[in-house]
Structure formats: structure tokens, C-alpha cells
């Protein structure tokens, strides 16, 4: 039953202690918690004004999404006492982030992006960038891609912008099929696939056209660089195969007598064409019979398996027949002998030979027993 006594002072005030929080500056689109710690004594009720942008206007610490500089007031009630306080939420100026202008590149090429307006950056997508955390990364997309960059300023406020890199395909450059030429020929090179052309190689003219002329002295490769309307460039290569002319031989020059026939034989190719044709048995074969009536040069044009053509010639000298004179016809008596004398040549042959002393001489004695016609071949 022992007792003791103590006392406490309870002071009465006219208002509820109220703390709306510290004035602050935030980034646009950010949220901030209002109120103190605590905003008012336990058991107090709250009313925040204005309520715009607040997660709740009747709690001690609402979240505020501020879109413009705003004064917030909190009114508190505890029993019959009331309190009020205010806080000012200001906004930083949003950074102006610029990702640059859209660009076009050719597939396989690289372009440099360039963002401005911040102090730090973050790019997406990242798989075709050499560094996604700098202002000017190198981009090498294989398809048309929109890149987004988020930039932060010194206040850690951020904004976003985008840039599109358009990826153009390479032109379908075609230098044409490989071709074959012969010695002395010129090859026409024809390219397709673009708007501008540039040929490279030896012994070539008109290199800035889609068609160029080449006259190589050996088998050569020629490269054409084709540029399309997007300034994309691609190359293609073709080969000019250099073939030698066929080795043609029309045979040796020769002499014949008028009305004789001789055989012309050419070698060196696949097909043959002789001229002139009027005294030939077949002008389109490697061998043909010729019967010229005057000395004639025959030219043979020979084509080989590569289509290359070469010519050779042979001269057929036509000699006239000798002017032969076997002498006058004359009469003898049976048992007599007469002398036959022929002129006009170098070699002689008399027929019939059985009644002649020397049938292979220009002069011979004859003793026919019947009237006889002697023929001399000179």
C-alpha cells in the first residue's frame, strides 16, 4: 500500500505541428514524396491541395508527379487543432536530346551516330554499335534500324530521341560473261546493274561507260565498279580469253600445164574457204581440185575451234602447151626409109614405135610397110 507521486506538464497549442517537406527541384516526369518524417503527430488527418498529380490527397506522404512548378499545401487536423504547411516543387528544364538526322548507308558500311544535348548517353539497340554509352558510336546495321538514345544532363534529367539508319542493298553489278577474242580483235565489255560505271584493266578505252572496248594482247581480267542511285558500290569481274590465230598452210606454189588439174591441200583449222571459186571442185573443204586456165593465186581462209581466222595463199602457175610440129606428111615406097623430124619441145615420144629407129628422139627413121600416122608427144 505504498504510494508515490509524479507530474507531467501538458502544454496546449493553437495548431498541429505540420511539415510539408523541403522545397526541391526535380526533373520533368519524375515523382517526389511530399511531407515530413512525420508530417504531423500520430492520429492526425491530412488534406493536400492541389490534388493534381498526387497519388492520394489524404495521406501523410503522397507521391507527386509534377508537370509544372507547384506549391503544395497540407492541412492537418488532430482533435480540434489544425495545422498547415507548404512545399514548393520546381522543375528543371528538360534536356534537348538530338540523335541527329536520318542517314542512308550501303550494306556492309559503317556510319557514325552523333547525339547532342546531354552529358551521358545510352543507345539501343546495342548489337550493331561499337559503344552504346558514348555520344557518337559507330553503327553497322545489316538492315534498316531505328536507334534510340537516352541522354542525361548535369541534373540527371533525361530525354530521348531517335535516328533511323536506312540500309540500302548493293547494286547487282554484272560485268557480262567471259568472252574469247582472236589476235587483232577488240572485245566489247558491257556491264549492267547501276547508274555509274568504272572499268579497270589493261588496254581498255571508254572506262567510264557501261560499255568499254578492250584489245588485250593476252588473256586478261577486267573489273567493273558499279554505283547505283544510292551511291552504293559493288564490283564484278569478267575475263577476256586471248586466242592466237590458227597456223595456216596452203601448200607450196606449183606449175601446171594448161588444161591440167592439181590438188590444193590446206591445213591448220576446222573449216576452210577457198577463193576464187570458179575453177575449184569444192571451195569449202581443206582439199580441192583446181584447173585454172591462167596463173592464179588461191587464198584459203581457215577458221579454228575458237572462231579465229587466218589466211594463206598458193600460186598455181599455168604454162602454155608447147608448139609442136611433126613435119609434113610425105610418101615413100615399100621398103624405103624416111626421116621423121619433130620440133617444139625438150622430150619426145613417137608412136607407133615398132617401125622407128629411135622413138624417144626429136628425129627418128621410119620404115613402115603400110601407110601409117605417126604421133609425136612433145
Amino acid at each position: 500500500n505504498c504510494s508515490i507521486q509524479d507530474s507531467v506538464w501538458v502544454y496546449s497549442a493553437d495548431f498541429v505541428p505540420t511539415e510539408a517537406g523541403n522545397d526541391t527541384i526535380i526533373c520533368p516526369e519524375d515523382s517526389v514524396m511530399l511531407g515530413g518524417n512525420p508530417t504531423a503527430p500520430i492520429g492526425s488527418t491530412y488534406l493536400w491541395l492541389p490534388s493534381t498529380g498526387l497519388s492520394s490527397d489524404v495521406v501523410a506522404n503522397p507521391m507527386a508527379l509534377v508537370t509544372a512548378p507547384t506549391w503544395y499545401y497540407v492541412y492537418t487536423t488532430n482533435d480540434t487543432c489544425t495545422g498547415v504547411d507548404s512545399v514548393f516543387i520546381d522543375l528543371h528544364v528538360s534536356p534537348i536530346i538530338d540523335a541527329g538526322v536520318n542517314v542512308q548507308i550501303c550494306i556492309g558500311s559503317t556510319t557514325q551516330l552523333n547525339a547532342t544535348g546531354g552529358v551521358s548517353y545510352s543507345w539501343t539497340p546495342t548489337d550493331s554499335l561499337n559503344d552504346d554509352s558514348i555520344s557518337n558510336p559507330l553503327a553497322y546495321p545489316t538492315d534498316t534500324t531505328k536507334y534510340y538514345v537516352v541522354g542525361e544532363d548535369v541534373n540527371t534529367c533525361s530525354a530521348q530521341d531517335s535516328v533511323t539508319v536506312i540500309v540500302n542493298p548493293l547494286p547487282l553489278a554484272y560485268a557480262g560473261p567471259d568472252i574469247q577474242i582472236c589476235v587483232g580483235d577488240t572485245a566489247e565489255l558491257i556491264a549492267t546493274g547501276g547508274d555509274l560505271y568504272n572499268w579497270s584493266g589493261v588496254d581498255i578505252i571508254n572506262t567510264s561507260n557501261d560499255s568499254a572496248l578492250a584489245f588485250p594482247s593476252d588473256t586478261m581480267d577486267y573489273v567493273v565498279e558499279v554505283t547505283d542511285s544510292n551511291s552504293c558500290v559493288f564490283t564484278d569481274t569478267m575475263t577476256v580469253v586471248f586466242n592466237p590465230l590458227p597456223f595456216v598452210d596452203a601448200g607450196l606454189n606449183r606449175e601446171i600445164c594448161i588444161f591440167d588439174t592439181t590438188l590444193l591441200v590446206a591445213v591448220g583449222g576446222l573449216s576452210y574457204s577457198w577463193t576464187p571459186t570458179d575453177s575449184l571442185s569444192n571451195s569449202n573443204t581443206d582439199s580441192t581440185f583446181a584447173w585454172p586456165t591462167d596463173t592464179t593465186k588461191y587464198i584459203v581462209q581457215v577458221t579454228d575451234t575458237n572462231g579465229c581466222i587466218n589466211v594463206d595463199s598458193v600460186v598455181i602457175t599455168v604454162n602454155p602447151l608447147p608448139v609442136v610440129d611433126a613435119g609434113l606428111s610425105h610418101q615413100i615406097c615399100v621398103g624405103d626409109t624416111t626421116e621423121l623430124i619433130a620440133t617444139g619441145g625438150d622430150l619426145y615420144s613417137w608412136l607407133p614405135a615398132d617401125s622407128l629407129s629411135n622413138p624417144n628422139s626429136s628425129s627418128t627413121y621410119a620404115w613402115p610397110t603400110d601407110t601409117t600416122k605417126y604421133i609425136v608427144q612433145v
Side-chain angles (χ1 to χ4, degrees):
N1 296 321
C2 297
S3 65
I4 195 170
Q5 178 178 299
D6 193 15
S7 62
V8 61
W9 286 95
V10 177
Y11 293 94
S12 174
D14 296 340
F15 61 92
V16 176
T18 302
E19 177 61 52
N22 296 323
D23 294 345
T24 187
I25 302 177
I26 64 172
C27 297
E29 307 302 326
D30 280 357
S31 296
V32 64
M33 180 182 290
L34 306 182
N37 186 21
T39 302
I42 296 173
S44 300
T45 61
Y46 306 90
L47 178 62
W48 290 88
L49 293 175
S51 61
T52 304
L54 297 182
S55 60
S56 174
D57 60 355
V58 294
V59 297
N61 297 102
M63 295 298 297
L65 179 62
V66 183
T67 58
T70 304
W71 279 99
Y72 284 99
Y73 297 87
V74 60
Y75 297 92
T76 58
T77 302
N78 194 313
D79 195 12
T80 60
C81 297
T82 61
V84 64
D85 194 21
S86 63
V87 63
F88 183 66
I89 307 300
D90 200 1
L91 294 178
H92 292 295
V93 177
S94 295
I96 300 176
I97 303 300
D98 184 6
V101 297
N102 296 338
V103 296
Q104 296 191 43
I105 65 171
C106 304
I107 190 168
S109 297
T110 298
T111 187
Q112 187 166 43
L113 308 180
N114 188 25
T116 58
V119 295
S120 64
Y121 302 90
S122 177
W123 291 87
T124 56
T126 63
D127 55 354
S128 55
L129 298 176
N130 71 324
D131 191 336
D132 62 355
S133 60
I134 59 176
S135 63
N136 55 347
L138 295 176
Y140 37 88
T142 56
D143 293 299
T144 296
T145 301
K146 177 179 281 191
Y147 291 95
Y148 296 89
V149 61
V150 175
E152 285 190 355
D153 61 13
V154 294
N155 299 312
T156 69
C157 295
S158 64
Q160 178 177 282
D161 194 22
S162 65
V163 61
T164 299
V165 177
I166 300 170
V167 179
N168 295 310
L170 298 180
L172 298 175
Y174 181 48
D178 295 342
I179 58 177
Q180 298 191 36
I181 65 170
C182 305
V183 172
D185 286 351
T186 298
E188 184 177 16
L189 316 180
I190 300 177
T192 58
D195 298 313
L196 300 176
Y197 300 85
N198 186 35
W199 289 91
S200 60
V202 299
D203 301 320
I204 185 172
I205 59 175
N206 298 333
T207 57
S208 298
N209 296 333
D210 57 344
S211 61
L213 297 177
F215 37 92
S217 56
D218 202 351
T219 297
M220 292 291 176
D221 289 335
Y222 291 92
V223 179
V224 64
E225 182 181 81
V226 179
T227 304
D228 64 12
S229 57
N230 296 316
S231 297
C232 294
V233 179
F234 198 55
T235 61
D236 191 29
T237 302
M238 61 87 63
T239 301
V240 176
V241 179
F242 183 84
N243 294 312
L245 298 182
F247 178 78
V248 182
D249 185 7
L252 298 175
N253 298 335
R254 71 201 75 167
E255 297 185 14
I256 64 171
C257 299
I258 191 169
F259 307 127
D260 282 353
T261 297
T262 187
L263 180 65
L264 307 181
V265 180
V267 294
L270 182 66
S271 62
Y272 301 82
S273 177
W274 293 89
T275 55
T277 62
D278 55 354
S279 56
L280 298 178
S281 60
N282 188 344
S283 62
N284 295 313
T285 184
D286 59 341
S287 61
T288 181
F289 287 103
W291 52 85
T293 56
D294 293 298
T295 296
T296 302
K297 177 187 282 189
Y298 290 96
I299 299 173
V300 63
Q301 178 177 284
V302 177
T303 304
D304 64 12
T305 55
N306 297 315
C308 295
I309 298 173
N310 203 358
V311 297
D312 193 22
S313 63
V314 60
V315 176
I316 305 300
T317 301
V318 178
N319 295 311
L321 298 180
V323 179
V324 180
D325 185 6
L328 297 174
S329 298
H330 43 96
Q331 297 182 6
I332 63 170
C333 299
V334 173
D336 286 349
T337 298
T338 187
E339 185 178 16
L340 306 180
I341 300 175
T343 60
D346 297 310
L347 300 176
Y348 299 86
S349 177
W350 292 89
L351 293 173
D354 56 355
S355 58
L356 297 177
S357 62
N358 189 352
N360 295 315
S361 176
S362 61
S363 63
T364 182
Y365 288 100
W367 52 84
T369 56
D370 291 300
T371 297
T372 303
K373 177 184 283 189
Y374 289 96
I375 299 172
V376 62
Q377 179 177 287
V378 177

